[in-house]
Amino acid sequence: MLAALSLVLTAGGMNGSFAAPMKRIRGWQWEHIWLAWSFLGMLVIPLVVAAATVPELKTVYSAAGPGVLIHTALDGMIWGLGTVLFGLGMNRVGLALGFAIIIGTSSSLGVLIPLVVLHREMLFTHVGEETLLGAGILLAGVAACARAGLLRDAGRMRSPGSTSLGAGIGICLLSGMGSSFMSLGVNEAVPIIQAAHDLGASRLLSPNAVWPILLAGGFAVNAAYCTALLIRHGNLANFRKSVFVNVGLVVTMAILWSGSNFVYSTGAYAMGSLGLVLGWPVFMGTIVLAANVWGIVTGEWCKPGRKAVIWMVLGCLLLVAGIGIVALAGNG
């Protein structure tokens, strides 16, 4: 159990760090970065890793059946919409606050939706009650982090025509709702995992077969949106700017993010029958903490005011407390 939990924590640290290189990219707009990152992180890396670790990958998908594949891809598309909003929200509210709101919302819904849809019989048990309590505390943490952002923003001069922080927080909340469908998608893809195991994949590596299908749905949404922006802005040629440095940074982003998914699914699957449900908030909470470390390092909270810092610390503590309660529920 400890080794499995360590993998989930490691995955959260990787995921919480993946967006940091974005601040070093020069000459590319958001759509350039996001399209290149999603192509590598959602298509190339997942397919390469799955093909290398899951024998007879095509046969696995045939054995799982088209219904499961379509459902998993649709979950991925809804999650993909959340990732589009994720990038837009981060641009408006910053790395630390954006991660806190998005991940806090995704944590609570990512536990509740699979629990209600797939494990309804456990909803009013001791495990279910502790899970609901943890989810409520997670939402309180989201509210505290949002308050911190409002206080931070109040002391800053905003340029004419700039997007309000309130709109950014709204985008982040919608992103968190959509992002929770990754948890649902992984839980509903158990037939794919079982087929991979039956056809020779190890128990811990069998979940790798899910990611090419789930993330392909997400890539379709992200690619469509980014392509539309490139056409609208007429800035496709910007891909030639600082190409070697920028590509290196995007590759780093893709490896950290996509790698975190594989590490997470291996660790969560090893946690037991409810690992894919209860491992999710542990994963999400670690992402928040890692992102806040990067927010401090990059100066987002260098002069926000005492009240803003207090609310952000309170929000993070509530998120950690909610995660801890949900994790304890898994041991109950």
Side-chain angles (χ1 to χ4, degrees):
M1 181 66 179
L2 183 59
L5 183 60
S6 297
L7 285 175
V8 175
L9 293 173
T10 299
M14 293 169 64
N15 198 300
S17 303
F18 97 90
M22 287 180 68
K23 296 193 173 186
R24 300 290 182 182
I25 294 176
R26 299 290 180 265
W28 288 8
Q29 280 67 54
W30 178 87
E31 55 266 31
H32 299 86
I33 300 170
W34 215 248
L35 181 59
W37 164 75
S38 59
F39 174 72
L40 293 172
M42 298 181 195
L43 278 188
V44 177
I45 295 177
L47 187 58
V48 169
V49 173
T53 57
V54 179
E56 305 293 337
L57 189 59
K58 289 184 179 179
T59 307
V60 167
Y61 294 144
S62 297
V68 174
L69 299 181
I70 292 171
H71 205 155
T72 301
L74 288 175
D75 285 336
M77 292 182 74
I78 298 174
W79 165 80
L81 179 60
T83 63
V84 168
L85 296 174
F86 170 86
L88 297 175
M90 293 269 285
N91 276 350
R92 287 162 173 78
V93 304
L95 184 65
L97 179 60
F99 260 112
I101 296 173
I102 293 168
I103 300 305
T105 306
S106 181
S107 294
S108 55
L109 295 179
V111 172
L112 289 175
I113 293 175
L115 187 63
V116 171
V117 174
L118 302 175
H119 303 279
R120 193 171 303 168
E121 72 284 356
M122 300 190 68
L123 191 58
F124 296 106
T125 65
H126 180 67
V127 172
E129 290 171 355
E130 284 192 349
T131 301
L132 291 173
L133 175 61
I137 294 175
L138 284 167
L139 288 175
V142 172
C145 290
R147 176 64 176 163
L150 290 170
L151 290 171
R152 182 194 68 181
D153 192 67
R156 296 181 177 181
M157 295 297 294
R158 300 185 65 82
S159 59
S162 61
T163 305
S164 70
L165 184 70
I169 290 175
I171 291 171
C172 289
L173 287 170
L174 289 174
S175 172
M177 293 176 190
S179 297
S180 66
F181 275 78
M182 176 179 279
S183 175
L184 181 62
V186 173
N187 277 275
E188 289 187 324
V190 168
I192 299 175
I193 298 174
Q194 187 59 51
H197 183 57
D198 292 342
L199 288 166
S202 72
R203 179 176 176 273
L204 295 183
L205 295 180
S206 297
N208 291 355
V210 174
W211 295 111
I213 305 300
L214 183 66
L215 297 182
F219 173 74
V221 175
N222 279 266
Y225 182 72
C226 292
T227 301
L229 286 181
L230 288 169
I231 294 172
R232 177 183 175 184
H233 297 155
N235 57 3
L236 184 63
N238 286 9
F239 271 120
R240 293 198 293 263
K241 295 182 178 179
S242 304
V243 61
F244 293 108
V245 173
N246 288 351
V247 167
L249 290 169
V250 170
V251 168
T252 301
M253 290 173 61
I255 291 173
L256 285 171
W257 182 83
S258 193
S260 75
N261 294 325
F262 289 103
V263 176
Y264 159 71
S265 60
T266 299
Y269 197 59
M271 290 173 68
S273 60
L274 280 178
L276 291 173
V277 175
L278 301 179
W280 181 255
V282 177
F283 179 46
M284 296 289 101
T286 311
I287 291 173
V288 172
L289 296 177
N292 273 284
V293 169
W294 282 109
I296 292 169
V297 169
T298 56
E300 288 186 6
W301 293 88
C302 58
K303 294 181 180 179
R306 184 169 177 267
K307 286 186 178 179
V309 172
I310 290 173
W311 277 100
M312 176 53 76
V313 171
L314 176 61
C316 288
L317 289 175
L318 287 170
L319 289 170
V320 171
I323 290 158
I325 290 173
V326 174
L328 288 174
N331 291 324

